[in-house]
Amino acid sequence: MAAFRHILPPLLLALAVLLAWEGYCAASEVSPLVLPAPSDIVRALWTERGPISGHALSTLSVTTLGFSTSVVFAFAVSVALHFTPWLKRGAMPLFVASQTVPIVALAPLMVLWFGFGLLPKVLLVILVTFFPMLVSLLSGYAATPQAFRDQLVSMGARRWDVFRRATLPTAREPFFAGLRISATYAVVASIFAEYAGARRGLGIYILSAKNSFRADLVLSAVVVSATLTLLLLGLLLLVERLTGRRYRKAGHVGA
């Protein structure tokens, strides 16, 4: 019941926007080539469900591989930077600079350097998504109360034990916050990479629909992209709750 109360306001707001959109299209008689009504988009989704599903699965595979690799990479880098402060001071400006490059400029370069295969798309997803997770982890590590550290050290814990028992659990919530931020970029990064150069994927589908002046198909692909992102966010929320229960049962110092 509590979960229903949380999702009811956004559902009602979305429904109101869709009804207003549908009413405007019907009243103004605007051309579907310019602004298709929500009913036109739903009709296009159903008519093109086969091709869109195939392209969506291709995008989902790139997103899944790139995002999961990004999580591992961000965690490994965060641990390395946490244990070597001099490396952190030298590497963080470079990581910040990597985020200043526009994705619309980077995607064609990735394709130019690595071809039309899977690698450039995965690399682009990693580059776009790893930084929020890295910053969230490092912020979580730094927020570990000194009392927790001192308590474990007084009990003979080594540096790695302190990290595992106190620092890492403290960083769990900031990490998942960064994970959710990164997840919102993952599907978009995959589509941009496909848009720049690929054989299949929602990016290619959007490009083809745009060249055919099919705004309804373009918006149908956008709906599918948003749905994939919401599903990814829902999965992360489920994982966050499950890991939270595990930490509480294990009795971690920082939990």
Side-chain angles (χ1 to χ4, degrees):
M1 190 64 179
F4 179 74
R5 286 198 299 267
H6 283 297
I7 65 174
L8 184 59
L11 285 178
L12 291 176
L13 180 60
L15 180 60
V17 171
L18 291 174
L19 289 176
W21 182 355
E22 184 77 28
Y24 172 79
C25 291
S28 64
E29 297 183 354
V30 61
S31 171
L33 296 176
V34 178
L35 181 65
S39 57
D40 295 327
I41 298 173
V42 172
R43 190 178 302 112
L45 265 173
W46 177 253
T47 304
E48 291 286 309
R49 61 188 182 279
I52 290 181
S53 298
H55 287 287
L57 286 176
S58 179
T59 298
L60 182 60
S61 64
V62 173
T63 302
T64 302
L65 179 58
F67 189 63
S68 58
T69 305
S70 181
V71 172
V72 175
F73 178 64
F75 177 73
V77 172
S78 72
V79 173
L81 297 184
H82 175 72
F83 281 99
T84 52
W86 63 268
L87 181 60
K88 179 180 178 180
R89 290 192 297 269
M92 283 305 295
L94 299 179
F95 288 135
V96 173
S98 71
Q99 303 302 299
T100 63
V101 182
I103 185 174
V104 293
L106 192 59
L109 290 176
M110 286 289 186
V111 174
L112 180 65
W113 293 337
F114 301 106
F116 291 91
L118 184 63
L119 180 60
K121 295 186 280 291
V122 171
L123 289 177
L124 190 66
V125 174
I126 293 173
L127 185 62
V128 170
T129 59
F130 93 97
F131 188 72
M133 290 184 283
L134 175 65
V135 172
S136 299
L137 282 167
L138 292 176
S139 299
Y141 298 160
T144 305
Q146 188 61 41
F148 291 169
R149 306 175 192 261
D150 294 340
Q151 179 184 0
L152 289 171
V153 170
S154 67
M155 297 170 62
R158 294 173 296 180
R159 192 178 181 186
W160 175 255
D161 294 326
V162 174
F163 176 80
R164 183 175 60 86
R165 295 289 300 173
T167 306
L168 194 58
T170 302
R172 190 185 70 85
E173 290 188 7
F175 168 64
F176 275 102
L179 203 62
R180 289 191 295 270
I181 295 173
S182 295
T184 61
Y185 300 143
V187 177
V188 175
S190 300
I191 291 175
F192 261 107
E194 294 164 351
Y195 195 86
R199 297 178 179 86
R200 288 185 62 80
L202 289 176
I204 292 298
Y205 187 85
I206 291 173
L207 181 62
S208 176
K210 178 183 72 71
N211 293 337
S212 302
F213 300 98
R214 292 292 304 274
D216 55 341
L217 296 183
V218 172
L219 290 176
S220 297
V222 171
V223 170
V224 174
S225 171
T227 302
L228 292 178
T229 302
L230 291 174
L231 290 175
L232 181 56
L233 289 172
L235 177 62
L236 293 177
L237 180 61
L238 177 61
V239 172
E240 182 179 7
R241 290 182 176 178
L242 292 177
T243 56
R245 293 174 184 174
R246 186 177 68 84
Y247 271 114
R248 286 191 294 269
K249 288 180 180 180
H252 284 271
V253 174

